[in-house]
Amino acid sequence: MEIIHLTEINSTNDYAKTHMAELGNLTAIYTDRQTSGRGRLTRKWIDTGDENLYLTIVLKPFTDLNPIYPNFTQYLSVVLSMVLEEDYKLTPQIKWPNDVLINGKKLAGILAEGTTKGGKFLGLALGIGINLNTTIDNLNQIDKPATSIFNETGEHVDKDIFLEKLLSKFCLLYHEFICNGFISVKEYYESKAQFIGEDISINVLGDIHKGIAEGITNEGSLILKESDKTNTYYIGDIL
Ligand code: BT5
C-alpha cells in the first residue's frame, strides 16, 4: 500500500476525491488534523486531536460500479474490529451498517464515497475516523456517546503502529472479500452485531421502521421483522 501523510487537510475523503484520477488503487491517506471531517448526509466527524486517526483508503478494484461497493464500509468495520480484539484486547460491537462501538459508545465511523468523471467510475474513497487517544473532556463534546481506545484501556495508543496493523489486516483479507463479497466476512460481522435478536428502530432516509432485527443477508442488508411482514434494508441507521 502507498501511504500519504498530511499534517492538515479539510477532509481526507475530499483529498482522495479531488486527486482520484492520479491516485493508485490501495493508496492510504491520513492526516494529523482534519478541519472539516464529514459523516454521512450532512453530519460532521469531529477532530478530537492529532493523536487520532483520520484516514481514507483509495480503492479501484473494478472499472465500473460493482454490487459489492456498499459492503466496503462493512468490510472495514470488520477489519477494525479484528484489530481491536486481537491487538488491543477490546470487545468491539458493530452497529449496522458500520459503526464500531466499545461498551455501547462510538469509537469509529466510516464513510464511503464514489467518484465519477464524465460518467466514468474513477474509484472509491473509503474514509474512517478512529478515536485512539481522545480524552474524556473531548469525548464529552460529541453530541452522542463516544469513546476512544485510551478511554477504555487507560493506555496511550501509538498511531503509526495502529495504522500499520489496520492496513495489514485490510490487505490480508482483501482478495477474498473482492472475490466473494460480504459473505467472506459475514460470520465475523454477525458475531459482533449485538443488535441481532433485539427490538430496534431504524431511520431510512427519514422514515422510521420498528421491529426485531432478525439478521443480515448475504449482501449485508438488515433483516427486520416488522409487525406485518419481514423486510430487508440496505441503507439506514439504527436509532
Ligand atoms: C460517520 O458518519 O460516522 C462517518 C465518519 C467518517 C469520518 C472519516 S474521518 C476520515 C474521512 N474524512 C472525512 O471527511 N470523513 C471520513 P455518521 O454515521 O453520519 O456519524 C456522524 C455522527 O458521529 C455525528 O453526527 C456525531 O454524532 C458522531 N461523531 C462525530 N464525531 C465523532 C467522533 N470523533 N467520535 C465519535 N462520534 C463522533
Side-chain angles (χ1 to χ4, degrees):
M1 246 191 199
E2 189 189 339
I3 298 179
I4 297 174
H5 179 202
L6 307 168
T7 45
E8 184 172 312
I9 192 79
N10 55 350
S11 150
T12 53
N13 266 33
D14 285 350
Y15 179 93
K17 286 164 72 181
T18 306
H19 298 278
M20 189 59 82
E22 55 280 15
L23 292 169
N25 183 31
L26 291 170
T27 302
I29 302 136
Y30 75 106
T31 187
D32 296 334
R33 299 311 305 245
Q34 183 169 252
T35 53
S36 304
R38 291 184 290 105
R40 289 173 299 153
L41 305 171
T42 56
R43 296 190 285 252
K44 293 185 185 349
W45 186 258
I46 311 291
D47 178 324
T48 56
D50 62 0
E51 298 265 320
N52 302 300
L53 210 48
Y54 314 96
L55 166 73
T56 297
I57 304 173
V58 168
L59 299 168
K60 302 180 171 183
F62 310 107
T63 52
D64 221 331
L65 280 173
N66 184 285
I68 77 163
Y69 272 123
N71 300 123
F72 274 94
T73 58
Q74 290 170 312
Y75 174 67
L76 185 51
S77 72
V78 162
V79 167
L80 171 60
S81 298
M82 287 177 170
V83 170
L84 294 171
E85 195 169 33
E86 290 166 17
D87 297 307
Y88 295 87
K89 309 297 170 226
L90 288 163
T91 307
Q93 302 139 355
I94 299 176
K95 185 176 166 194
W96 181 83
N98 51 52
D99 280 351
V100 176
L101 317 181
I102 305 283
N103 291 322
K105 291 169 282 179
K106 186 159 169 171
L107 180 93
I110 302 174
L111 173 70
E113 298 176 294
T115 306
T116 55
K117 192 174 180 190
K120 189 173 172 290
F121 185 75
L122 292 184
L124 192 76
L126 180 61
I128 183 165
I130 311 171
N131 299 326
L132 302 181
N133 292 300
T134 317
T135 57
I136 190 73
D137 289 349
N138 285 332
L139 290 169
N140 286 340
Q141 288 164 24
I142 298 166
D143 62 344
K144 300 257 176 72
T147 194
S148 67
I149 300 181
F150 173 75
N151 190 48
E152 297 297 325
T153 64
E155 284 177 29
H156 178 265
V157 178
D158 183 303
K159 187 163 71 171
D160 293 330
I161 293 175
F162 188 92
L163 180 66
E164 194 198 314
K165 288 183 190 300
L166 187 75
L167 297 181
S168 300
K169 184 66 87 179
F170 188 93
C171 291
L172 189 69
L173 308 176
Y174 188 64
H175 182 70
E176 204 196 325
F177 172 69
I178 291 295
C179 293
N180 300 319
F182 178 72
I183 202 157
S184 70
V185 292
K186 182 183 175 199
E187 195 179 323
Y188 185 89
Y189 182 98
E190 284 187 322
S191 75
K192 300 295 161 219
Q194 101 290 10
F195 59 85
I196 293 178
E198 291 189 357
D199 249 316
I200 58 167
S201 297
I202 62 169
N203 181 343
V204 182
L205 301 173
D207 289 334
I208 308 297
H209 302 267
K210 289 178 195 295
I212 297 171
E214 289 210 316
I216 303 291
T217 68
N218 288 346
E219 292 74 40
S221 297
L222 175 71
I223 306 168
L224 191 68
K225 187 172 187 299
E226 297 177 58
S227 55
D228 45 348
K229 58 179 175 162
T230 299
N231 293 309
T232 59
Y233 295 96
Y234 69 98
I235 50 165
D237 281 307
I238 297 180
L239 298 173

